[in-house]
Protein backbone atom coordinates (compact mmCIF):
# COMPACT_ATOMS: atom_id res chain seq x y z
CA UNK A 1 0.00 0.00 0.00
CA UNK A 2 1.03 3.63 -0.45
CA UNK A 3 1.46 4.13 3.27
CA UNK A 4 4.29 1.58 3.42
CA UNK A 5 6.50 3.68 1.20
CA UNK A 6 6.40 7.20 -0.11
CA UNK A 7 2.99 8.81 0.38
CA UNK A 8 1.75 10.96 -2.48
CA UNK A 9 1.52 14.56 -1.32
CA UNK A 10 -0.13 17.50 -3.08
CA UNK A 11 0.37 21.20 -2.37
CA UNK A 12 -2.96 22.96 -1.81
CA UNK A 13 -1.69 26.43 -1.02
CA UNK A 14 1.76 28.05 -0.92
CA UNK A 15 2.27 31.47 0.63
CA UNK A 16 4.98 33.62 -0.95
CA UNK A 17 5.95 37.10 0.20
CA UNK A 18 7.44 39.54 -2.31
CA UNK A 19 9.41 42.66 -1.54
CA UNK A 20 9.79 45.32 -4.22
CA UNK A 21 12.50 48.02 -4.30
CA UNK A 22 9.70 50.55 -3.75
CA UNK A 23 7.08 49.38 -1.20
CA UNK A 24 3.50 49.04 -2.41
CA UNK A 25 1.36 51.93 -1.26
CA UNK A 26 -2.03 51.15 0.20
CA UNK A 27 -3.66 54.12 -1.49
CA UNK A 28 -2.38 53.27 -4.98
CA UNK A 29 -3.57 49.65 -4.69
CA UNK A 30 -7.02 50.80 -3.56
CA UNK A 31 -7.41 53.65 -6.05
CA UNK A 32 -5.79 52.09 -9.13
CA UNK A 33 -6.58 48.41 -8.69
CA UNK A 34 -9.71 48.38 -6.54
CA UNK A 35 -8.14 46.79 -3.48
CA UNK A 36 -10.17 46.50 -0.28
CA UNK A 37 -9.00 47.74 3.10
CA UNK A 38 -9.12 45.26 5.96
CA UNK A 39 -7.49 46.66 9.06
CA UNK A 40 -3.81 47.26 8.34
CA UNK A 41 -3.73 45.27 5.10
CA UNK A 42 -5.11 45.64 1.59
CA UNK A 43 -6.77 42.66 -0.13
CA UNK A 44 -6.96 42.25 -3.89
CA UNK A 45 -8.41 39.26 -5.76
CA UNK A 46 -6.94 38.38 -9.17
CA UNK A 47 -8.84 36.34 -11.75
CA UNK A 48 -5.88 35.58 -14.03
CA UNK A 49 -3.79 34.11 -12.62
CA UNK A 50 -6.26 33.21 -9.87
CA UNK A 51 -4.79 34.37 -6.57
CA UNK A 52 -5.45 36.54 -3.54
CA UNK A 53 -2.96 39.35 -2.97
CA UNK A 54 -2.35 40.93 0.42
CA UNK A 55 -0.35 44.13 0.93
CA UNK A 56 0.89 44.37 4.52
CA UNK A 57 1.50 47.53 6.51
CA UNK A 58 5.16 47.58 5.42
CA UNK A 59 4.20 47.58 1.73
CA UNK A 60 5.18 43.98 1.06
CA UNK A 61 3.08 41.71 -1.14
CA UNK A 62 1.86 38.29 0.05
CA UNK A 63 0.46 35.97 -2.63
CA UNK A 64 -2.08 33.49 -1.32
CA UNK A 65 -4.00 30.71 -3.08
CA UNK A 66 -1.40 29.40 -5.55
CA UNK A 67 0.30 26.01 -5.65
CA UNK A 68 3.39 26.66 -7.78
CA UNK A 69 6.14 29.28 -7.66
CA UNK A 70 5.69 30.32 -11.30
CA UNK A 71 1.99 31.05 -10.75
CA UNK A 72 2.73 33.03 -7.61
CA UNK A 73 5.36 35.12 -9.38
CA UNK A 74 3.04 35.66 -12.35
CA UNK A 75 0.46 37.08 -9.93
CA UNK A 76 3.03 39.43 -8.41
CA UNK A 77 4.15 40.56 -11.89
CA UNK A 78 0.54 41.17 -12.91
CA UNK A 79 0.09 43.55 -10.00
CA UNK A 80 3.31 45.38 -10.83
CA UNK A 81 2.31 45.76 -14.47
CA UNK A 82 -1.09 47.16 -13.52
CA UNK A 83 0.68 49.73 -11.37
CA UNK A 84 3.04 50.59 -14.23
CA UNK A 85 6.12 49.15 -12.56
CA UNK A 86 8.83 46.76 -13.73
CA UNK A 87 9.50 43.52 -11.85
CA UNK A 88 13.23 44.18 -11.57
CA UNK A 89 14.58 43.84 -8.06
CA UNK A 90 11.57 41.85 -6.84
CA UNK A 91 12.65 39.36 -4.16
CA UNK A 92 10.63 36.37 -2.97
CA UNK A 93 10.46 34.60 0.37
CA UNK A 94 8.55 31.35 0.74
CA UNK A 95 6.12 31.08 3.59
CA UNK A 96 4.24 28.12 5.07
CA UNK A 97 2.25 25.77 2.86
CA UNK A 98 -0.88 23.69 3.14
CA UNK A 99 -0.56 20.18 1.68
CA UNK A 100 -2.75 17.08 1.56
CA UNK A 101 -2.04 13.35 1.43
CA UNK A 102 -4.00 10.10 1.31
CA UNK A 103 -3.16 6.73 2.88
CA UNK A 104 -5.69 4.94 0.70
CA UNK A 105 -7.48 3.20 3.60
CA UNK A 106 -9.76 4.36 6.45
CA UNK A 107 -8.11 5.25 9.74
CA UNK A 108 -9.46 4.45 13.22
CA UNK A 109 -9.16 8.00 14.54
CA UNK A 110 -11.28 6.95 17.54
CA UNK A 111 -8.40 4.75 18.74
CA UNK A 112 -5.32 6.78 17.76
CA UNK A 113 -5.17 8.65 21.08
CA UNK A 114 -4.95 5.31 22.92
CA UNK A 115 -1.47 4.85 21.46
CA UNK A 116 -0.48 8.47 20.84
CA UNK A 117 -1.75 10.82 23.59
CA UNK A 118 -0.51 13.86 21.66
CA UNK A 119 -3.37 13.36 19.19
CA UNK A 120 -6.20 15.73 20.07
CA UNK A 121 -9.73 15.57 18.62
CA UNK A 122 -10.87 18.52 16.55
CA UNK A 123 -14.66 18.47 16.89
CA UNK A 124 -15.18 21.31 14.42
CA UNK A 125 -13.37 19.52 11.57
CA UNK A 126 -14.20 16.00 12.80
CA UNK A 127 -10.60 14.84 12.70
CA UNK A 128 -7.50 14.36 14.85
CA UNK A 129 -4.86 17.06 15.20
CA UNK A 130 -1.24 16.29 15.99
CA UNK A 131 1.35 19.01 16.54
CA UNK A 132 4.41 17.43 14.94
CA UNK A 133 7.33 19.41 16.34
CA UNK A 134 9.92 17.11 14.74
CA UNK A 135 8.72 18.03 11.25
CA UNK A 136 7.56 21.54 12.15
CA UNK A 137 3.86 21.39 11.24
CA UNK A 138 0.37 20.57 12.43
CA UNK A 139 -1.21 17.44 10.96
CA UNK A 140 -4.91 16.72 10.57
CA UNK A 141 -5.97 13.08 10.16
CA UNK A 142 -9.45 12.13 8.94
CA UNK A 143 -11.31 8.85 9.26
CA UNK A 144 -11.28 8.29 5.47
CA UNK A 145 -7.49 7.98 5.54
CA UNK A 146 -6.73 11.45 4.26
CA UNK A 147 -4.57 14.03 5.96
CA UNK A 148 -3.69 17.70 5.79
CA UNK A 149 -0.44 19.38 6.78
CA UNK A 150 -0.63 22.97 8.05
CA UNK A 151 2.25 25.40 8.34
CA UNK A 152 4.77 23.15 6.58
CA UNK A 153 7.98 24.67 5.25
CA UNK A 154 8.67 22.20 2.45
CA UNK A 155 7.01 19.44 0.48
CA UNK A 156 9.72 16.93 1.44
CA UNK A 157 9.01 17.50 5.13
CA UNK A 158 5.32 16.80 4.53
CA UNK A 159 6.21 13.55 2.75
CA UNK A 160 8.47 12.54 5.65
CA UNK A 161 5.81 13.37 8.25
CA UNK A 162 3.04 11.55 6.38
CA UNK A 163 5.20 8.43 5.93
CA UNK A 164 6.36 8.57 9.57
CA UNK A 165 2.85 8.69 11.02
CA UNK A 166 1.52 6.21 8.46
CA UNK A 167 4.11 3.66 9.59
CA UNK A 168 3.24 4.28 13.25
CA UNK A 169 -0.49 3.90 12.64
CA UNK A 170 0.11 0.71 10.70
CA UNK A 171 2.27 -0.76 13.45
CA UNK A 172 -0.67 -0.40 15.84
CA UNK A 173 -3.12 -1.79 13.24
CA UNK A 174 -5.11 1.43 13.13
CA UNK A 175 -5.88 1.22 9.42
CA UNK A 176 -9.09 -0.52 8.37
CA UNK A 177 -8.78 -3.17 5.67
CA UNK A 178 -11.37 -2.64 2.97
CA UNK A 179 -12.58 -6.06 1.81
CA UNK A 180 -13.87 -6.64 -1.71
CA UNK A 181 -16.50 -9.42 -1.95
CA UNK A 182 -15.38 -12.50 -3.83
CA UNK A 183 -16.43 -12.44 -7.45
CA UNK A 184 -17.04 -8.67 -7.47
CA UNK A 185 -14.01 -8.01 -9.66
CA UNK A 186 -14.92 -10.86 -12.02
CA UNK A 187 -18.48 -9.59 -12.43
CA UNK A 188 -17.25 -6.07 -13.10
CA UNK A 189 -14.84 -7.29 -15.78
CA UNK A 190 -17.62 -9.38 -17.38
CA UNK A 191 -19.91 -6.34 -17.53
CA UNK A 192 -17.19 -4.31 -19.19
CA UNK A 193 -16.59 -7.01 -21.80
CA UNK A 194 -20.32 -7.39 -22.56
CA UNK A 195 -20.78 -3.70 -23.28
CA UNK A 196 -20.97 -3.04 -27.04
CA UNK A 197 -18.30 -0.76 -28.46
CA UNK A 198 -19.34 2.85 -28.65
CA UNK A 199 -20.18 4.07 -32.12
CA UNK A 200 -17.86 6.68 -33.50
CA UNK A 201 -19.57 9.98 -34.12
CA UNK A 202 -18.45 12.99 -36.05
CA UNK A 203 -17.05 15.75 -33.84
CA UNK A 204 -19.57 18.44 -33.10
CA UNK A 205 -18.85 22.01 -34.03
CA UNK A 206 -18.07 24.20 -31.00
CA UNK A 207 -20.88 26.46 -29.89
CA UNK A 208 -20.50 30.19 -29.49
CA UNK A 209 -21.48 30.87 -25.89
CA UNK A 210 -22.14 34.44 -24.88
CA UNK A 211 -20.53 35.69 -21.71
CA UNK A 212 -22.96 36.77 -19.02
CA UNK A 213 -21.53 40.27 -19.20
CA UNK A 214 -22.24 40.50 -22.95
CA UNK A 215 -25.77 39.19 -22.45
CA UNK A 216 -26.40 41.79 -19.80
CA UNK A 217 -25.15 44.54 -22.12
CA UNK A 218 -27.55 43.36 -24.85
CA UNK A 219 -30.45 43.37 -22.39
CA UNK A 220 -29.59 46.89 -21.34
CA UNK A 221 -29.57 47.97 -24.98
CA UNK A 222 -33.00 46.44 -25.57
CA UNK A 223 -34.36 48.21 -22.52
CA UNK A 224 -33.21 51.55 -23.92
CA UNK A 225 -35.19 50.86 -27.12
Amino acid sequence: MARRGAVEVRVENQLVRYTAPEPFGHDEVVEQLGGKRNGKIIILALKSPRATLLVDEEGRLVVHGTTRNEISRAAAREMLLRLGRADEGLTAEKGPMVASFDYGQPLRIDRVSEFYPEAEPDDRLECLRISDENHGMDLLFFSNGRGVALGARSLNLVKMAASHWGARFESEKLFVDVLIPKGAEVEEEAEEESEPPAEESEPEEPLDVEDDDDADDDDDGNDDD
Side-chain angles (χ1 to χ4, degrees):
M1 300 298 295
R3 65 179 183 272
R4 297 177 185 274
V7 180
E8 184 177 352
V9 177
R10 183 175 68 179
V11 177
E12 303 293 347
N13 182 32
Q14 171 70 67
L15 291 183
V16 183
R17 184 171 63 190
Y18 292 93
T19 303
E22 179 186 350
F24 295 100
H26 284 193
D27 290 339
E28 65 174 341
V29 176
V30 171
E31 295 171 5
Q32 298 183 39
L33 305 181
K36 305 296 183 184
R37 297 184 186 273
N38 188 348
K40 296 182 179 180
I41 65 173
I42 302 298
I43 302 175
L44 178 66
L46 281 185
K47 291 184 179 180
S48 181
R50 186 175 295 276
T52 301
L53 309 181
L54 310 177
V55 180
D56 64 18
E57 55 186 330
E58 296 180 21
R60 298 172 299 186
L61 175 65
V62 178
V63 179
H64 175 86
T66 62
T67 58
R68 300 200 305 272
N69 292 336
E70 55 267 28
I71 300 177
S72 172
R73 190 166 189 87
R77 290 184 62 188
E78 179 68 18
M79 180 168 170
L80 285 167
L81 290 174
R82 292 188 185 186
L83 293 173
R85 300 193 195 181
D87 63 347
E88 296 177 356
L90 189 68
T91 60
E93 178 186 357
K94 273 190 176 183
M97 70 169 58
V98 177
S100 63
F101 52 90
D102 191 347
Y103 290 121
Q105 282 188 279
L107 176 66
R108 290 291 306 272
I109 62 174
D110 59 321
R111 295 192 56 208
V112 170
S113 58
E114 297 177 15
F115 303 94
Y116 307 106
E118 62 268 37
E120 299 180 352
D122 189 318
D123 296 331
R124 184 174 65 88
L125 297 177
E126 297 183 353
C127 66
L128 283 182
R129 181 186 293 264
I130 293 179
S131 181
D132 189 339
E133 297 181 357
N134 291 331
H135 297 100
M137 67 190 74
D138 281 354
L139 296 168
L140 306 180
F141 296 100
F142 296 84
S143 60
N144 60 4
R146 295 180 180 178
V148 175
L150 305 175
R153 287 292 174 179
S154 77
L155 195 61
N156 285 335
L157 281 174
V158 178
K159 291 178 180 178
M160 292 171 61
S163 297
H164 168 77
W165 285 102
R168 297 186 74 176
F169 294 154
E170 187 171 29
S171 68
E172 303 296 346
K173 297 180 173 57
L174 293 173
F175 285 109
V176 179
D177 291 329
V178 179
L179 301 178
I180 301 177
K182 291 183 178 180
E185 294 182 353
V186 177
E187 290 177 3
E188 185 176 347
E189 291 176 0
E191 288 179 1
E192 292 178 356
E193 292 177 358
S194 63
E195 291 180 358
E199 295 181 0
E200 294 185 0
S201 59
E202 295 182 0
E204 296 181 357
E205 295 183 0
L207 296 177
D208 262 329
V209 180
E210 266 188 350
D211 291 334
D212 292 339
D213 294 339
D214 295 339
D216 292 340
D217 292 342
D218 292 342
D219 293 341
D220 294 340
N222 293 332
D223 294 340
D224 293 340
D225 292 338

